Amino acid sequence: MPDDIRPLLHASGISKFFPGAVALDEVELKLLPGEVHALLGENGAGKSTLIKCLTGAYRRDGGKIELEGVEVDPASTNESQALGIGTVYQEVNLLPNMTVAENLFLGRQITRGGLLRRRAMNRAARDVLLDYGLDIDPAEPLTSYSVAVQQVIAIARAVEMSGKVLILDEPTASLDREEVQLVFSVIRKLKERGLAVVFITHFLDQVFEISDRATVLRNGQVVGERDLRKVSSNDIVTLMLGRQLEEKVQERKGGHAGEVLVEIEDLGKRGMVEPFNLTLHEGEVVGLAGLLGSGRTETANLVFGAVQGDQGKISKRGREIRINRPRDAITHRFALCPEDRKTEGIVGDLSVRDNIILALQARQGWIRPLPRARVNEIAEHYVRALDIRLASLDMPIRLLSGGNQQKALLARWLATQPDLLILDEPTRGIDVGAHAEIIALIERLREEGMALLVASSEMEELVAYSTRVVVLRDRRQVGELTGDQITPSNIIRAIAAEEPAKEATA
Amino acid sequence: MSATTPSVFKRILPQLIILGVVLAFNVAVFPGFLNIEIHNGRVFGNLIDVLNRGAPVALLCIGMTLVIATRGIDLSVGAVMAIAGATAASLVSEGHHWTTALIGALAVGSLCGLWNGFLVAVLRIQPIVATLVLMVAGRGIAQLITEGTILTFIDPGLIRLGAGTIVGIPTPILIWIALGAGAIFAVRRTALGMLIEAIGINEASSRLAGINSRVLLICVYAMTGFCAALAGVIVAADIKGADANNAGLWLELDAILAVVIGGNSLLGGRFSILASLLGALIIQSVNSLILLSGMPPEFNLIIKSVLILAILVIQSPKVGHLIYMLRASSLHVQPEKSSSRPVLTPKEDAQ
């Protein structure tokens, strides 16, 4: 460890108590200039709390923060920004209706005599963004650019305002592979400029790709600081979980599918998904693979009726059924865990208990409430079966960590005893432990005879649980892999079979 | 959905305290405030007046609570009151039985609610704009019904709804308590309350979970129209006439205020009808306080707004946080791990 370099930021003995719980227990974090430092840990390990203490969003209850050798005590995020600590969150928190330049300069607009100097601002924005490898028109509204570009703009804004320490809280969670590279190239440039970058993510391969060192948290304590050039990913995972993760068994139990459950013929919607055919059998997991925007989510939504198709038909067990809305799909025992857990999945302020029984209750109708005893029985059953970690069933679901929210949503749908379970990105943004549990759950449900349709951007994951993989490109089905054909490289080859679609990153 | 007694009590505690304080002020300016007497088989007293005069806003806030819980708002309730009052008055003056008039008025009110619900749930117009339409048009409709006059009536059956008594208690009190209890029962003993809250918190999630948000929204607005119609009939019966211009004027704002004082968020979600009803009583108690204190009437609105501002400040999250901090720093709660480290007081974050 390069002890001779003076750390740019040195937080030591940071403690934070919540009523009845110790969130951080004398945590130490040392950031060197020009390094990317990964902050790792399962959900609930204290990563976010630590970041919030560093940026002044939370008041810490103990410890000190030194920035360039001087003790600082930011009381708000504005103050920490002024000190030089900038933060970018997973959900880009810029203003979508304003232009790129306005977003970049919001709060420190270029003015003359109180009037905005729009042209000067656009010019300055263009120069700034060119440094970040973006050649875009800053006079355009933010929303005309992809999430990745928006993320880079958010980074640029944070760096221009702060410029010493940049904290990236899951910046790549909603980006696809190429977009991640765009963000990484920006991070590398910032590293050369001597910034210290804190990188928080659940993707271990990304950690090793971009980071120099890592601090691993578990239950509010630092369990290790490692030089990533000297350790393996297994070491890190072991540190995070505190237990040896069993080597993933890649062997598939015979892809023995049961009877035909659902047949989809020529289902499509103009401008969204080209008409496709798909047959789902009982006891099989069909994976949907493809790049971002290839039609994975759209396919899942069409089958569930979240989006109404303009042609095609669906039949279940040989009988044609009509699905115009999610309610229809639920009546026919379909279930969908949507991609965007926060905006389309959880009902944040309702209790975990209510969230779990929501779909079942909605199907029963309001006039026939589930008896309280039955509600508790269902909720407690799934909390145990899926190992959902919570303080109480009465707590609002938004307070749960990502992985536990996802499990609660799975519980919501399993409680309706579906025949077909559609999962859209079931493991996005959740920690390693919950990730493995959800994959195991998919396997178990398949063995019990459920049909599953799983859309995912994680190749390894698809390979692990799919009995069949349907590959999508440009909103069309372009291939299908079965049995031993299902390997990450085959999927990638199928996706890239033709000239790959130009990703509109700029 | 959890409706255990202690949690309900905890939920309405702030409203109870505020109501207690306002009533105490009433007693201070008018010592005989709490006296209740019985003359000719009817109870009299200032407290009874508060319950009686508070009936229109109490009725309005039942529906308003539900609408606000769905992240909506209904500005038209005052106008719907005028329409319903006019309908009832014109029906009895045409010689119909008072029950026909009541049913007719309630039907018209519910229809107004359905219209609002249609605009909001089907055409997806923002609730504040959608209900503004009827707020403006409603008084015009009421004037058409009364043909521009104040339509008076002498039907004793209809008058009894506003000015009469049942077993000595003024009818309006019984009506709002019955409807309030019925509504609370309906939303908490069925899954209605939870589904309404789910829509208000996250409609996209609710739709994907299979909730028929469109139908529920329409029902909620219809319910609000029904409540407004009932309030309109009571007000008309009380003055034995339908005044299309002034019946229920500005009462939509009092109803929204009652919901807010009841601690319900205008952003929708978790709601408590009981707390809203207490909010309505608080507003009426404030009105009573101004009246009893003998202030010149021109101060009424200003004093009312100052008192209500004070109530809202006390309820604001910032002040609540401050109180929490003061309490916590005097309690010295020790963190779970008590090591050699100095004792630090836990602080909650005002997020």
Side-chain angles (χ1 to χ4, degrees):
Chain A
M1 184 163 312
D3 273 333
D4 43 331
I5 311 172
R6 195 179 67 168
L8 185 59
L9 182 133
H10 187 185
S12 52
I14 303 287
S15 296
K16 175 75 190 168
F17 306 112
F18 289 119
V22 181
L24 292 176
D25 187 8
E26 305 208 329
V27 168
E28 182 173 27
L29 181 68
K30 213 186 274 182
L31 304 178
L32 306 179
E35 77 160 346
V36 177
H37 193 106
L39 189 55
L40 303 172
E42 279 200 275
N43 283 332
K47 291 172 308 216
S48 307
T49 315
L50 177 59
I51 295 309
K52 284 178 177 161
C53 286
L54 291 183
T55 58
Y58 281 175
R59 297 298 291 157
R60 61 186 187 281
D61 294 321
K64 62 175 185 177
I65 304 171
E66 279 176 40
L67 189 65
E68 295 177 316
V70 185
E71 197 172 331
V72 295
D73 185 18
S76 69
T77 45
N78 282 341
E79 214 172 292
S80 69
Q81 246 167 32
L83 287 169
I85 306 172
T87 316
V88 173
Y89 296 97
Q90 172 183 350
E91 290 89 11
V92 183
N93 37 3
L94 298 175
L95 305 168
N97 52 340
M98 294 177 84
T99 69
V100 172
E102 283 166 337
N103 267 296
L104 208 50
F105 288 105
L106 188 73
R108 51 191 185 102
Q109 298 89 337
I110 306 174
T111 56
R112 182 165 50 200
L115 298 175
L116 278 184
R117 294 183 57 203
R118 217 167 269 284
R119 232 175 308 161
M121 226 157 72
N122 285 342
R123 222 167 23 238
R126 180 175 283 268
D127 291 345
V128 168
L129 292 176
L130 273 176
D131 282 349
Y132 291 83
L134 288 187
D135 187 10
I136 60 174
D137 181 2
E140 288 283 312
L142 188 70
T143 41
S144 47
Y145 297 103
S146 70
V147 180
V149 172
Q150 292 182 26
Q151 197 64 268
V152 172
I153 294 168
I155 291 174
R157 176 179 159 80
V159 171
E160 296 305 310
M161 289 182 72
S162 309
K164 286 175 192 163
V165 176
L166 177 67
I167 299 170
L168 300 171
D169 193 352
E170 299 202 35
T172 56
S174 42
L175 305 183
D176 68 17
R177 248 155 240 271
E178 284 175 43
E179 294 178 318
V180 168
Q181 287 312 319
L182 173 69
V183 173
F184 278 6
S185 69
V186 170
I187 295 178
R188 286 196 189 97
K189 273 188 204 130
L190 295 174
K191 195 172 136 176
E192 281 162 26
R193 276 167 58 175
L195 268 82
V197 180
V198 177
F199 183 52
I200 300 175
T201 184
H202 287 300
F203 303 116
L204 271 190
D205 46 339
Q206 293 184 4
V207 168
F208 280 92
E209 188 179 343
I210 191 87
S211 315
D212 305 301
R213 293 190 310 134
T215 294
V216 184
L217 292 172
R218 190 169 72 234
N219 296 330
Q221 289 174 316
V222 174
V223 289
E225 193 196 54
R226 294 286 186 275
D227 188 330
L228 288 174
R229 278 160 301 193
K230 294 175 189 159
V231 295
S232 72
S233 68
N234 207 38
D235 298 336
I236 293 292
V237 172
T238 311
L239 262 181
M240 284 166 66
L241 298 179
R243 58 177 191 259
Q244 196 77 32
L245 198 72
E246 293 139 53
E247 275 299 314
K248 237 193 293 176
V249 189
Q250 286 287 350
E251 170 193 355
R252 226 182 319 278
K253 292 128 214 139
H256 163 76
E259 308 209 336
V260 173
L261 180 74
V262 173
E263 274 187 287
I264 299 165
E265 279 174 64
D266 287 329
L267 187 66
K269 183 177 171 68
R270 215 165 300 121
M272 190 176 253
V273 189
E274 300 278 315
F276 63 93
N277 295 317
L278 188 61
T279 307
L280 294 154
H281 299 80
E282 286 171 357
E284 75 168 346
V285 179
V286 176
L288 287 174
L291 294 173
L292 203 78
S294 60
R296 292 186 319 242
T297 298
E298 291 80 355
T299 303
N301 285 345
L302 264 179
V303 176
F304 191 64
V307 169
Q308 206 179 325
D310 50 16
Q311 62 166 308
K313 62 176 186 178
I314 301 179
S315 29
K316 190 183 164 205
R317 296 215 169 93
R319 221 178 312 149
E320 191 177 337
I321 55 175
R322 194 176 278 277
I323 293 180
N324 294 327
R325 325 169 274 173
R327 277 176 70 75
D328 302 336
I330 293 165
T331 314
H332 293 293
R333 295 196 183 264
F334 287 15
L336 167 75
C337 266
E339 178 180 21
D340 194 335
R341 194 164 52 228
K342 251 187 211 145
T343 62
E344 298 188 315
I346 62 166
V347 180
D349 279 334
L350 280 191
S351 66
V352 180
R353 179 193 288 116
D354 286 351
N355 266 285
I356 289 176
I357 61 149
L358 194 63
L360 188 59
Q361 182 65 68
R363 189 172 70 192
Q364 282 221 1
W366 62 270
I367 198 79
R368 288 169 52 213
L370 294 160
R372 176 156 302 272
R374 176 104 183 88
V375 167
N376 285 331
E377 190 190 312
I378 292 172
E380 276 158 21
H381 168 74
Y382 284 107
V383 165
R384 242 176 299 122
L386 304 182
D387 191 21
I388 303 174
R389 287 176 213 162
L390 36 65
S392 135
L393 278 170
D394 287 318
M395 68 195 278
I397 195 169
R398 69 183 152 81
L399 298 180
L400 293 188
S401 68
N404 284 316
Q405 286 181 0
Q406 185 71 341
K407 288 190 204 166
L409 287 179
L410 282 167
R412 173 193 291 175
W413 290 112
L414 293 180
T416 66
Q417 298 178 315
D419 294 331
L420 169 64
L421 178 60
I422 307 165
L423 303 172
D424 195 358
E425 296 288 352
T427 58
R428 173 166 288 179
I430 65 178
D431 61 273
V432 187
H435 191 278
E437 287 173 60
I438 284 175
I439 290 177
L441 177 70
I442 292 174
E443 190 76 357
R444 207 165 73 222
L445 293 171
R446 182 184 69 79
E447 279 167 17
E448 285 170 12
M450 196 183 285
L452 291 102
L453 181 64
V454 188
S456 176
S457 53
E458 298 288 303
M459 306 292 168
E460 293 79 7
E461 197 185 295
L462 282 172
V463 170
Y465 50 61
S466 302
T467 46
R468 213 150 41 101
V469 172
V470 171
V471 180
L472 301 168
R473 183 189 338 115
D474 293 338
R475 302 160 192 285
R476 257 182 323 116
Q477 285 191 9
V478 292
E480 186 173 315
L481 305 169
T482 51
D484 294 337
Q485 296 174 317
I486 305 175
T487 62
S489 53
N490 277 347
I491 295 175
I492 291 167
R493 211 166 299 144
I495 289 173
E498 284 175 20
E499 197 43 27
K502 275 181 205 120
E503 285 289 304
T505 41
Chain B
M1 218 172 53
S2 58
T4 47
T5 322
S7 74
V8 169
F9 180 71
K10 206 176 153 198
R11 169 69 180 78
I12 61 168
L13 186 62
Q15 284 73 36
L16 285 176
I17 292 173
I18 293 167
L19 184 59
V21 170
V22 178
L23 289 179
F25 273 115
N26 271 293
V27 175
V29 300
F30 188 78
F33 181 77
L34 294 175
N35 294 354
I36 292 174
E37 293 161 14
I38 299 180
H39 293 300
N40 306 327
R42 184 194 199 278
V43 289
F44 284 94
N46 293 91
L47 207 52
I48 300 296
D49 278 349
V50 168
L51 293 173
N52 194 9
R53 297 283 144 223
V57 174
L59 284 170
L60 291 181
C61 81
I62 295 168
M64 192 67 84
T65 306
L66 297 178
V67 166
I68 286 178
T70 66
R71 207 179 262 254
I73 202 151
D74 189 345
L75 295 181
S76 72
V77 288
V80 172
M81 279 177 70
I83 295 178
T87 308
S90 80
L91 282 176
V92 285
S93 55
E94 281 166 20
H96 292 282
H97 193 256
W98 69 270
T99 47
T100 315
L102 176 64
I103 292 166
L106 294 180
V108 168
S110 307
L111 205 65
C112 291
L114 282 177
W115 163 256
N116 284 330
F118 170 76
L119 293 183
V120 171
V122 180
L123 300 188
R124 293 274 148 202
I125 299 174
Q126 285 181 16
I128 196 164
V129 182
T131 57
L132 191 63
V133 174
L134 195 57
M135 178 187 181
V136 176
R139 297 216 171 265
I141 296 170
Q143 281 171 7
L144 285 177
I145 297 172
T146 62
E147 289 162 354
T149 60
I150 294 181
L151 203 55
T152 55
F153 52 86
I154 49 163
D155 185 284
L158 190 57
I159 289 169
R160 205 169 57 221
L161 288 177
T165 61
I166 294 174
V167 292
I169 301 167
T171 330
I173 300 181
L174 297 173
I175 292 178
W176 76 254
I177 289 178
L179 191 70
I184 292 169
F185 185 84
V187 295
R188 294 303 170 196
R189 286 284 167 250
T190 69
L192 206 53
M194 183 186 86
L195 299 183
I196 288 173
E197 285 173 347
I199 294 177
I201 296 165
N202 189 337
E203 199 182 338
S205 294
S206 305
R207 197 178 88 89
L208 282 179
I211 297 176
N212 200 340
S213 62
R214 192 178 283 184
V215 168
L216 267 181
L217 274 175
I218 293 177
C219 288
V220 163
Y221 280 91
M223 172 69 185
T224 309
F226 177 88
C227 292
L230 200 50
V233 171
I234 287 175
V235 166
D238 188 35
I239 61 166
K240 304 181 182 60
D243 181 350
N245 287 319
N246 295 312
L249 195 63
W250 305 128
L251 279 198
E252 57 278 341
L253 299 183
D254 271 8
I256 293 167
L257 201 57
V259 174
V260 173
I261 292 177
N264 297 298
S265 166
L266 286 178
L267 295 176
R270 311 301 301 257
F271 67 89
S272 163
I273 293 178
L274 188 56
S276 296
L277 289 173
L278 288 172
L281 290 183
I282 290 169
I283 293 176
Q284 191 54 41
S285 307
V286 168
N287 288 341
S288 149
L289 178 63
I290 294 165
L291 217 66
L292 292 175
S293 63
M295 286 276 188
E298 49 270 37
F299 284 104
N300 281 7
L301 291 176
I302 295 170
I303 294 171
K304 185 172 168 188
S305 54
V306 168
L307 286 174
I308 280 163
L309 186 66
I311 292 168
L312 294 180
V313 166
I314 291 168
Q315 287 191 353
S316 75
K318 275 279 174 199
V319 174
H321 179 60
L322 207 68
I323 294 168
Y324 179 87
M325 296 280 281
L326 286 172
R327 285 223 323 255
S329 58
S330 63
L331 282 175
H332 275 276
V333 189
Q334 218 154 333
E336 261 184 339
K337 277 192 182 176
S338 48
S339 58
S340 55
R341 261 180 277 119
V343 176
L344 292 152
T345 39
K347 289 171 202 144
E348 207 180 58
D349 302 275
Q351 289 288 320

